[in-house]
Amino acid sequence: MTLLVYHLLPVHGRTRNWWLLLASVLFYWWGVGGEIVAISFVAVFSFVATWVSWYITKKRVQSGHPGAARVPLALTVAIILIPLLVFKYIPQAAESGVPGFTRLADSFGAADWILPLGISFFTFHAVSFAVDSARTGFPLTRSFPSYLMYLFVFPHQIAGPIVRYAEIKEEIENPRVITPSRLGYGASRFTWGLAKKVLIADNAGLVANAMFDSAAYSGQLSAPGAWIGAIAYAIQIYFDFSGYSDMAIGLAAMLGFHFPENFRSPYASHSISDFWRRWHITLTRWFRDYVYIPLGGNRRGAVVEYGALLVVFALTSLWHGALVGFLIWGGLQAAAMLIERATGLRDSKRFLLVRRILTAFFILFAWVPFRTTDFEHSVEIWRAMLFRYPADFVAPQILTSLTSLSIAALILGALAFFASSKRTGFERVFAPTEGNLAVSKVRGWAVAPVLFVVTIAGVLLSDFSPFLYFQF
């Protein structure tokens, strides 16, 4: 309905923007209800504070105190982060078991607080706007409605990609002419993402859930079951998350926006450094530009570089949640990247096939604590993966989950580990090239409609399954 009305409205003028803003806000309000208050605070405060920060900074510089110019920006960013910190981490503190934290959090009823949907991504967009405005020396827009459009436009507001205002500034502030080619690209990309979620991620998730549930019972897992489950989860999280990004990019294209790519065949990486150039690209870019480089990056020697890297992965872990499993996952990623940098493997072109295989095994191992979120179950699964044989035993729950649909999903999903690292699955099937949104007419008209019908059938025949990254 939103798309239909949008395309019936005149291209020129602001009518389309107002309709899209209204639809996006209503979409968010329908999804979160009263929690929209926290998001509204971030939206209003970040815009006003960016302008106030600019004005104060300008006056301080004019009065000969340039050293204090960063204080208003730091304060702005700190306050923007408050709702995220409050809603995401105080409830976890209430369940931590630490007496002081638990009592304090319980006194506010924190255990019953609900995390506002998409608040992490919303907050990162607001921080990006404030910092980029400070770096350019002037707020990126004078228009509050345009800023609200940037924050609320519904394709990216729940789980990314993380878009910078400058990337869509011209598209927000000028008429968006949507060609048939762009519309076809958007529809094909949306369908591709929906199919990845429904047909592959959700079916692989049934197997992954069976394995991780079995880990709760010591001795239930053998090596084959543990490996099947670990591979299933790797497939689930990739096709679920990248599927959402594909859908967001496709919807954005149908609305006249160009969103950045968020995944580029990450399981085809030959190192963990390469993996993070391909996985959740816009989050990696965000931490690089707003944390890693400001801390010194690789410009001040190895000690500063490694320290900055550790800080980035500590924050990346905490961004997902203050749980032991996320911290272990982040620690493993940081350790691998430090080893690659210290040994020169990050930039080496030797033994690429061997390194690609080892990287795939590392990724599978590292996803285990990310999924379990605790140490004991992670160790139980790792033990099973490495030491627990005979190979003819697989837990009954896992065997039951291996239906024809889930096996097909695992086979198709496993292709991500063997695919070429140069092109994404969408590019190979629909034949667009980077910077060219024109999909192959034959493939677009032949594949997309069939894929859409099959996917909708899958939606109707399956239970509701939210996107995994909605929890973050």
Side-chain angles (χ1 to χ4, degrees):
M1 178 62 72
T2 299
L3 275 173
L4 178 62
V5 174
Y6 179 85
H7 284 282
L8 291 175
L9 293 172
V11 173
H12 298 281
R14 308 291 290 178
T15 313
R16 279 187 167 184
N17 275 9
W18 283 111
W19 166 250
L20 187 55
L21 177 59
L22 175 64
S24 297
V25 172
L26 289 176
F27 170 78
Y28 194 87
W29 176 76
W30 172 74
V32 303
E35 299 160 36
I36 198 172
V37 173
I39 297 298
S40 299
F41 166 80
V42 172
V44 174
F45 174 81
S46 58
F47 183 78
V48 173
T50 295
W51 275 93
V52 172
S53 175
W54 166 76
Y55 180 78
I56 294 173
T57 299
K58 178 183 176 183
K59 291 299 181 182
R60 286 180 178 274
V61 172
Q62 289 176 348
S63 62
H65 298 87
R70 294 182 179 180
V71 175
L73 174 62
L75 185 61
T76 296
V77 171
I79 296 176
I80 289 173
L81 291 171
I82 287 175
L84 173 64
L85 299 176
V86 168
F87 282 98
K88 194 160 191 172
Y89 301 111
I90 291 182
Q92 292 182 9
E95 300 174 359
S96 66
V98 179
F101 283 116
T102 302
R103 280 197 302 272
L104 180 62
D106 284 344
S107 67
F108 292 99
D112 298 323
W113 292 356
I114 299 174
L115 181 70
L117 193 64
I119 190 170
S120 297
F121 291 92
F122 202 95
T123 301
F124 275 25
H125 281 93
V127 170
S128 171
F129 177 83
V131 175
D132 287 350
S133 293
R135 288 176 176 176
T136 58
F138 196 82
L140 295 176
T141 182
R142 298 173 180 269
S143 169
F144 185 54
S146 293
Y147 179 60
L148 289 180
M149 169 76 78
Y150 162 66
L151 288 181
F152 275 100
V153 65
F154 66 86
H156 75 72
Q157 69 179 201
I158 307 301
I162 301 173
V163 184
R164 295 181 179 178
Y165 188 86
E167 290 177 319
I168 57 173
K169 174 182 173 67
E170 294 301 318
E171 293 164 351
I172 289 176
E173 299 177 359
N174 296 290
R176 295 181 293 279
V177 178
I178 305 166
T179 63
S181 174
R182 193 180 187 93
L183 197 61
Y185 169 86
S188 299
R189 189 73 184 262
F190 177 87
T191 301
W192 180 254
L194 183 62
K196 286 167 69 175
K197 160 66 176 170
V198 174
L199 302 181
I200 298 181
D202 288 353
N203 285 297
L206 298 176
V207 182
N209 292 341
M211 187 278 278
F212 283 93
D213 290 344
S214 297
Y217 305 96
S218 181
Q220 284 283 314
L221 278 179
S222 65
W227 279 106
I228 291 170
I231 292 170
Y233 182 67
I235 291 170
Q236 179 194 14
I237 192 170
Y238 170 54
F239 282 87
D240 186 284
F241 194 12
S242 67
Y244 181 92
S245 292
D246 285 327
M247 293 170 67
I249 292 169
L251 272 176
M254 288 188 278
L255 295 169
F257 295 100
H258 184 269
F259 284 1
E261 291 292 337
N262 215 18
F263 293 87
R264 293 203 68 85
S265 305
Y267 290 160
S269 304
H270 60 264
S271 67
I272 297 304
S273 300
D274 189 35
F275 174 78
W276 281 102
R277 297 186 196 106
R278 300 168 178 276
W279 177 274
H280 205 342
I281 297 168
T282 56
L283 179 68
T284 302
R285 182 183 66 170
W286 195 96
F287 275 111
R288 179 197 67 198
D289 292 347
Y290 303 126
V291 179
Y292 178 74
I293 291 176
L295 288 175
N298 59 4
R299 298 167 299 171
R300 299 181 183 175
V303 173
V304 172
E305 178 185 2
Y306 296 168
L309 193 66
L310 290 172
V311 170
V312 164
F313 275 100
L315 293 176
T316 303
S317 302
L318 291 171
W319 179 76
H320 288 91
L323 299 173
V324 172
F326 295 135
L327 296 174
I328 295 172
W329 168 79
L332 290 171
Q333 303 291 330
M337 291 191 69
L338 287 176
I339 291 171
E340 289 176 357
R341 293 184 182 216
T343 60
L345 285 174
R346 179 182 62 166
D347 302 314
S348 174
K349 302 298 182 183
R350 301 178 65 190
F351 308 112
L352 291 182
L353 178 60
V354 174
R355 289 168 55 201
R356 181 168 170 176
I357 294 171
L358 292 175
T359 300
F361 277 108
F362 179 87
I363 291 168
L364 292 174
F365 268 80
W367 279 136
V368 170
F370 188 93
R371 171 62 172 78
T372 64
T373 69
D374 67 61
F375 181 70
E376 291 80 7
H377 288 157
S378 299
V379 171
E380 172 68 17
I381 294 170
W382 283 335
R383 262 198 209 121
M385 293 171 77
L386 294 175
F387 307 115
R388 202 165 284 160
Y389 291 88
D392 60 350
F393 172 74
V394 177
Q397 302 97 308
I398 300 175
L399 287 174
T400 303
S401 70
L402 290 171
T403 64
S404 57
L405 286 176
S406 63
I407 291 172
L410 292 179
I411 293 172
L412 290 172
L415 294 176
F417 288 93
F418 303 99
S420 166
S421 61
K422 295 181 179 179
R423 304 188 74 198
T424 65
F426 179 78
E427 289 169 349
R428 285 190 294 273
V429 173
F430 290 94
T433 56
E434 191 170 357
N436 178 15
L437 300 184
V439 299
S440 164
K441 292 182 179 179
V442 175
R443 298 183 188 183
W445 285 105
V447 177
V450 173
L451 196 59
F452 183 76
V453 171
V454 173
T455 303
I456 293 302
V459 171
L460 296 176
L461 295 174
S462 61
D463 297 328
F464 172 71
S465 176
F467 286 94
L468 295 179
Y469 260 68
F470 279 13
Q471 64 185 300
F472 304 123

